[in-house]
Amino acid sequence: MTDIRAQITQLDQEDPLKAFRNEFVLDLKTIYLDGNSLGVLPKKTKQVLEDTINNQWGARLIRSWNEDWLSCKERIASKVAKLINAEPNEVIIADSVSVNLYKLAFASLTYQTNKSEVLTDNLNFPSDLYIFQELCKQSFPDKTLNVVHQDKFEDANANILNAITEDTSLVSLSHVTFQNAFRYDVKNINEKAREMNALNLWDLSHSVGAVPIDVKALKIDMAVGCTYKYLNGGPGAPAFLYVSKELQNKLQNPIAGWFSHAAPFDFSPTFEGAESIHNFAVGTPPVLSMKAIEPGIDIFLNAGVHNIQNKSELLFELFLQLFQLFLKEREYTISTPLSPEERGSHIALTHEEAYRINLSLINPRINRKTIITDHRPPDIIRIALTPLYLSFSELCEAVIRLVEIVDTKEFENHSPLKSGVI
Amino acid sequence: MTDIRAQITQLDQEDPLKAFRNEFVLDLKTIYLDGNSLGVLPKKTKQVLEDTINNQWGARLIRSWNEDWLSCKERIASKVAKLINAEPNEVIIADSVSVNLYKLAFASLTYQTNKSEVLTDNLNFPSDLYIFQELCKQSFPDKTLNVVHQDKFEDANANILNAITEDTSLVSLSHVTFQNAFRYDVKNINEKAREMNALNLWDLSHSVGAVPIDVKALKIDMAVGCTYKYLNGGPGAPAFLYVSKELQNKLQNPIAGWFSHAAPFDFSPTFEGAESIHNFAVGTPPVLSMKAIEPGIDIFLNAGVHNIQNKSELLFELFLQLFQLFLKEREYTISTPLSPEERGSHIALTHEEAYRINLSLINPRINRKTIITDHRPPDIIRIALTPLYLSFSELCEAVIRLVEIVDTKEFENHSPLKSGVI
């Protein structure tokens, strides 16, 4: 253990991102391993919001639309574009991930009239499946939703590749899966899809800010994603939506709002869709939640996605080492792929008592830090590796608690009956 | 003028709502007459947001969902319900007005399969028309959108009543029109619609918080509305959506998200729609913008909608009196109906130089207060009467400026070329 401790101290000392911890509001009595669900608060965001509330809404009022809010929307979108190597005119900030997914899937199926199938798999986020299920049922009854059943990660890419046929209209998957952080071979899948004239639509919610994304190199047609996980944009912050320039004039947003119009401020009674990415915008964005997004993205761009990816891998390697030494024998297993290019930045640790261990981490006995992870049914504890604010020693402390909770049967203090909602 | 000044002083002194001004952040060098576009900041909202940012997001993090954010969503919805005399299980806070309108219109047209027409008119908000235009075009090509052309307010209700036929599937109008604040005879229209088995869907954006609304008495089937105008919920705050209990099990949300599911936290792979108003929710709400809504609604409920309506009428009467004395001869006209039950709470003042007069009000010469109104093409200056924070003397000051700007030709300091976007 002494060797490992020395190694961990060194990892923290040599961490090129260590200064970035200071950009965030962190509680030293808490180790936060849930950044894949809700990222932490950047200090700068507090200032931005104070200004937005007091000086913009509170004083400049309606004038703030012209003075900042309209341009801010574009500015944030262009920063997200930078993050995923898109052009600024290929990204908007709008609505929620689900609403954006609906708009793009609807537009794709309208465009691909002569094809019969929407392809996804059972690793996709449940609410992505809901969107497709009801879309096929309510709007495209001639289309079938093919939910590929994935058993083993080893076969996941091949299963998708095999399932893409000439009938495939749209392939839509989570880039990194929410449960086990499996990451697809996006490029190969997209190439096969293009070969079959199918469109691809990726949900980047669990990958953006966690792994490098290059929509051009990966040949991504369309994407949606979340700003409140690894990007630290604040609870329920508006989502983003990407459509490649080549595709924009072929697709039409089904929900034609104020901001989808070519000239929103003409108050024309007739809809004329913007011939740009703005076609996929709808109504007025929730300004406070939107303004909160920018500082987190700035931090991200400053840190550099490759530094983040490197540290994420080092954190994972450390965890794996500790797992082999201490967790394996306590009947924990890792259900996240071990190969870096096959995973995102969280770890799915499974254990028969996952639910109660998770409760023990969050509500510890006295003199222990609060460790915030989350539980996903049936037996997963998710541990997010967030390189911007997680230290190697914190990760080690979390492992020590995982050991202790099992060894002392501390989890038995909690009822196995599930309560709470998230 | 002396008489009027005395009268105005008395109106302010006897105003039962005068204490409510103190609930808002107001700048004494500005007269804000644009509360129909973006309401002002309640002082309490500053505290709520500070707590949300620092203590909830900043410290409790993901735990805040269980501790407050999920219940807050329900609490705000039930307060909106109270405001419009709906049941708490008939209202949700979700998405934007346009997205909500889309969901409800889509659901209505799916339900009313054997009818061919969607009925609205040219007084409706342009983006409401966009939603219907594209919905009919993209999803319901067998339905026709009938946009009744309204020439005179005197005929507006009759024109709608005449246009409702057995073919009418859905009647959807703005309760109070955005340009001229015309208010429909909702009850009669809804009764005729029911007689013809048509559903009704009202956009309450320009009426909620401005005039009393009783969805039961008015027989409203469905409604959407905005929280950031008269309710002072903050820029782009999430909208609300109402569906009467009787109708809920007949309609299905086309955009099936996380929160539309009967059991969102089961992570079931199969969509099973909530058999409640929650069916019409979609994704995670933008928490900061959502939290900002509550204090404004609380103030409203405390003030009482009838006090608000009374003061709105008194403000209008005062304006009318001043108009007759000073504005009429300067070629201003009022294009808002004069009868209280036929209007909302803003005044459309028209003038050939409306655009430049509006600019002069907002950017005054030295030693004059900034007066914030807005301009709507072609020749309208909109003046919002917001009884919670507007005094009678402020309204009088605004009229004095309207006189001065014309008499001194101050408006000529501004270019007639339109710039800016809102």
Side-chain angles (χ1 to χ4, degrees):
Chain A
M1 192 73 192
T2 324
D3 275 5
I4 297 177
R5 284 203 187 276
Q7 177 200 340
I8 289 168
T9 306
Q10 197 181 351
L11 280 166
D12 275 330
Q13 275 167 358
E14 293 174 358
D15 175 9
L17 296 178
K18 67 184 170 192
F20 282 91
R21 270 177 73 86
N22 195 38
E23 305 274 333
F24 298 95
V25 175
L26 298 173
D27 169 7
L28 295 179
K29 288 169 297 187
T30 301
I31 297 174
Y32 195 64
L33 300 173
D34 206 22
N36 57 328
S37 189
L38 172 65
V40 299
L41 171 64
K43 287 178 185 168
K44 180 76 187 295
T45 305
K46 291 174 62 164
Q47 288 169 39
V48 166
L49 286 170
E50 206 178 301
D51 179 58
T52 307
I53 295 161
N54 296 316
N55 302 327
Q56 296 188 332
W57 179 14
R60 300 298 297 165
L61 280 149
I62 194 72
R63 293 165 289 188
S64 301
W65 278 109
N66 282 329
E67 290 165 359
D68 179 50
W69 298 338
L70 287 169
S71 59
C72 168
K73 194 156 66 78
E74 305 308 310
R75 202 169 61 234
I76 297 174
S78 72
K79 287 177 180 179
V80 171
K82 199 168 171 186
L83 209 63
I84 61 173
N85 195 34
E87 301 297 323
N89 61 8
E90 294 179 317
V91 174
I92 52 167
I93 297 290
D95 301 308
S96 63
V97 170
S98 289
V99 170
N100 288 337
L101 201 66
Y102 176 86
K103 292 184 283 194
L104 293 176
F106 190 109
S108 302
L109 299 185
T110 302
Y111 172 62
Q112 298 271 38
T113 43
N114 56 343
K115 286 164 164 269
S116 66
E117 196 179 276
V118 177
L119 184 67
T120 184
D121 71 15
N122 64 331
L123 303 179
N124 205 344
F125 196 71
S127 64
D128 289 26
L129 299 179
Y130 304 163
I131 290 288
F132 302 138
Q133 284 163 15
E134 290 298 302
L135 191 64
C136 288
K137 191 172 133 195
Q138 294 192 43
S139 292
F140 298 93
D142 56 327
K143 312 276 184 199
T144 315
L145 179 64
N146 181 1
V147 184
V148 172
H149 184 81
Q150 304 280 19
D151 265 333
K152 297 200 297 277
F153 298 131
E154 293 74 11
D155 305 332
N157 288 309
N159 288 343
I160 296 294
L161 290 171
N162 290 335
I164 300 173
T165 69
E166 286 179 345
D167 286 336
T168 310
S169 152
L170 178 69
V171 181
S172 187
L173 298 162
S174 289
H175 182 198
V176 167
T177 66
F178 81 107
Q179 274 183 313
N180 297 307
F182 171 72
R183 175 159 43 134
Y184 292 88
D185 180 355
V186 178
K187 197 179 167 199
N188 256 324
I189 290 172
N190 289 348
E191 279 173 354
K192 175 74 185 284
R194 288 198 180 184
E195 209 175 287
M196 295 293 162
N197 286 315
L199 296 177
N200 68 73
L201 165 54
W202 291 88
D203 184 343
L204 308 178
S205 294
H206 288 84
S207 62
V208 68
V211 300
I213 298 172
D214 181 333
V215 293
K216 301 294 173 209
L218 296 174
K219 304 188 177 180
I220 294 182
D221 291 329
M222 297 169 287
V224 296
C226 177
T227 59
Y228 56 77
K229 296 176 186 289
Y230 293 97
L231 295 181
N232 305 304
F240 66 86
L241 175 153
Y242 156 85
V243 181
S244 75
K245 192 69 196 156
E246 307 84 70
L247 210 53
Q248 284 173 18
N249 63 352
K250 296 177 181 138
L251 301 180
Q252 188 69 34
N253 181 3
I255 313 176
W258 178 255
F259 284 107
S260 338
H261 198 282
F265 299 101
D266 283 359
F267 296 90
S268 156
T270 308
F271 182 69
E272 209 179 300
E275 289 183 356
S276 71
I277 189 69
H278 293 287
N279 193 294
F280 282 91
V282 184
T284 304
V287 170
L288 303 179
S289 289
M290 178 184 75
K291 288 278 296 184
I293 300 173
E294 194 168 12
I297 297 179
D298 285 339
I299 294 170
F300 211 87
L301 291 170
N302 287 340
V305 71
H306 291 287
N307 285 329
I308 286 163
Q309 167 77 357
N310 287 344
K311 183 169 169 189
S312 168
E313 287 181 22
L314 288 175
L315 284 162
F316 190 91
E317 282 165 26
L318 173 65
F319 186 85
L320 191 60
Q321 198 180 347
L322 296 169
F323 171 84
Q324 300 290 2
L325 287 170
F326 307 110
L327 299 180
K328 204 172 172 183
E329 65 192 82
R330 287 168 177 91
E331 288 169 31
Y332 287 100
T333 52
I334 291 179
S335 62
T336 294
L338 300 187
S339 153
E341 63 273 18
E342 284 185 352
R343 57 177 156 78
S345 197
H346 73 265
I347 300 166
L349 189 68
T350 57
H351 192 283
E352 201 182 15
E353 286 293 349
Y355 175 71
R356 295 204 283 176
I357 293 169
N358 183 57
L359 281 181
S360 308
L361 289 166
I362 298 173
N363 307 290
R365 61 202 187 98
I366 48 164
N367 296 328
R368 294 291 183 276
K369 282 189 185 173
T370 299
I371 298 177
I372 302 181
T373 47
D374 67 21
H375 167 258
R376 283 294 173 264
D379 58 358
I380 294 174
I381 298 166
R382 294 195 305 181
I383 295 170
L385 306 177
T386 49
L388 287 169
Y389 53 84
L390 182 68
S391 70
F392 294 91
S393 43
E394 282 180 315
L395 186 62
C396 177
E397 283 185 77
V399 171
I400 292 168
R401 281 289 289 151
L402 286 165
V403 167
E404 182 183 54
I405 289 165
V406 167
D407 287 354
T408 62
K409 295 193 188 296
E410 183 183 330
F411 62 83
E412 290 182 349
N413 296 335
H414 297 277
S415 161
L417 294 173
K418 296 191 173 48
S419 69
V421 280
I422 214 153
Chain B
M1 192 72 192
T2 325
D3 275 4
I4 296 176
R5 284 202 188 277
Q7 177 200 340
I8 290 168
T9 306
Q10 196 181 352
L11 280 166
D12 275 330
Q13 275 167 358
E14 292 173 359
D15 175 9
L17 296 178
K18 66 184 170 193
F20 282 91
R21 270 177 73 86
N22 196 38
E23 305 275 333
F24 299 95
V25 176
L26 299 172
D27 169 6
L28 296 179
K29 288 169 296 188
T30 301
I31 297 174
Y32 194 64
L33 299 173
D34 206 22
N36 57 328
S37 190
L38 172 65
V40 298
L41 171 63
K43 287 178 185 167
K44 179 77 187 294
T45 305
K46 290 174 62 164
Q47 288 168 38
V48 166
L49 286 170
E50 207 178 299
D51 179 58
T52 306
I53 295 161
N54 296 316
N55 302 327
Q56 296 188 332
W57 179 14
R60 300 299 297 165
L61 280 149
I62 193 71
R63 293 166 289 188
S64 301
W65 278 108
N66 282 328
E67 290 166 358
D68 179 50
W69 298 338
L70 287 169
S71 59
C72 168
K73 194 157 66 79
E74 305 308 310
R75 202 168 61 234
I76 297 174
S78 71
K79 287 177 180 180
V80 171
K82 199 168 171 187
L83 209 63
I84 61 174
N85 195 34
E87 302 297 323
N89 60 8
E90 294 179 317
V91 174
I92 52 167
I93 297 290
D95 301 308
S96 63
V97 170
S98 289
V99 170
N100 288 338
L101 202 65
Y102 176 86
K103 292 185 283 194
L104 293 176
F106 190 109
S108 303
L109 298 185
T110 302
Y111 172 63
Q112 297 270 38
T113 44
N114 56 344
K115 286 163 164 271
S116 66
E117 197 179 276
V118 178
L119 184 67
T120 184
D121 71 14
N122 64 331
L123 303 179
N124 205 345
F125 196 72
S127 64
D128 289 26
L129 299 178
Y130 304 163
I131 290 287
F132 302 137
Q133 284 163 15
E134 290 298 302
L135 190 64
C136 288
K137 190 172 133 196
Q138 294 192 43
S139 292
F140 298 93
D142 56 327
K143 313 276 184 198
T144 315
L145 179 63
N146 181 1
V147 185
V148 172
H149 185 81
Q150 304 281 19
D151 265 333
K152 297 200 297 277
F153 298 131
E154 293 74 11
D155 305 332
N157 288 309
N159 288 343
I160 296 295
L161 289 171
N162 290 335
I164 300 173
T165 69
E166 286 179 345
D167 286 337
T168 310
S169 153
L170 178 69
V171 181
S172 187
L173 298 163
S174 289
H175 182 197
V176 167
T177 66
F178 80 106
Q179 273 183 314
N180 297 307
F182 171 71
R183 174 157 45 133
Y184 292 89
D185 180 355
V186 178
K187 196 179 167 200
N188 256 324
I189 290 172
N190 288 348
E191 279 173 355
K192 176 74 185 284
R194 288 198 179 183
E195 210 175 287
M196 295 293 162
N197 286 314
L199 296 177
N200 69 74
L201 165 54
W202 291 88
D203 184 343
L204 308 178
S205 294
H206 288 84
S207 62
V208 68
V211 301
I213 298 171
D214 180 333
V215 292
K216 301 294 173 208
L218 296 174
K219 304 188 177 181
I220 294 182
D221 292 329
M222 297 168 287
V224 295
C226 177
T227 59
Y228 56 77
K229 297 177 185 287
Y230 293 96
L231 295 181
N232 305 303
F240 66 87
L241 175 154
Y242 156 85
V243 181
S244 75
K245 192 68 196 157
E246 307 84 70
L247 209 53
Q248 284 173 18
N249 63 352
K250 296 178 181 138
L251 301 180
Q252 189 69 34
N253 181 3
I255 313 176
W258 178 255
F259 284 107
S260 339
H261 198 282
F265 299 101
D266 283 359
F267 296 89
S268 155
T270 309
F271 183 69
E272 209 179 300
E275 289 184 355
S276 71
I277 189 69
H278 293 287
N279 193 294
F280 283 91
V282 184
T284 304
V287 170
L288 303 179
S289 289
M290 177 184 76
K291 289 278 297 184
I293 301 173
E294 194 168 13
I297 297 179
D298 284 339
I299 294 170
F300 212 87
L301 291 170
N302 287 339
V305 71
H306 292 287
N307 285 329
I308 286 163
Q309 167 76 357
N310 287 343
K311 183 170 169 188
S312 169
E313 287 182 21
L314 288 174
L315 284 162
F316 190 90
E317 281 165 27
L318 172 66
F319 186 86
L320 191 59
Q321 197 180 348
L322 297 169
F323 171 84
Q324 300 290 3
L325 287 169
F326 307 111
L327 298 181
K328 203 172 171 182
E329 65 192 81
R330 287 169 177 89
E331 288 169 31
Y332 287 100
T333 52
I334 291 179
S335 62
T336 293
L338 300 186
S339 153
E341 63 273 18
E342 284 185 352
R343 57 177 156 78
S345 197
H346 74 264
I347 300 166
L349 189 68
T350 56
H351 192 283
E352 202 182 15
E353 286 293 349
Y355 175 72
R356 294 203 283 177
I357 293 169
N358 183 57
L359 281 181
S360 308
L361 289 166
I362 298 173
N363 308 290
R365 61 203 187 97
I366 49 164
N367 297 327
R368 293 291 183 277
K369 281 188 185 174
T370 299
I371 298 177
I372 302 181
T373 48
D374 67 22
H375 167 259
R376 284 294 173 266
D379 59 359
I380 294 174
I381 298 166
R382 294 195 305 181
I383 295 169
L385 306 177
T386 49
L388 286 169
Y389 54 84
L390 182 68
S391 70
F392 294 91
S393 43
E394 282 180 315
L395 186 62
C396 177
E397 283 185 77
V399 172
I400 292 169
R401 281 289 289 152
L402 286 166
V403 168
E404 182 183 54
I405 289 165
V406 167
D407 287 355
T408 62
K409 296 194 189 296
E410 183 184 330
F411 62 83
E412 290 182 350
N413 297 335
H414 297 276
S415 160
L417 295 174
K418 295 190 174 48
S419 69
V421 280
I422 215 153

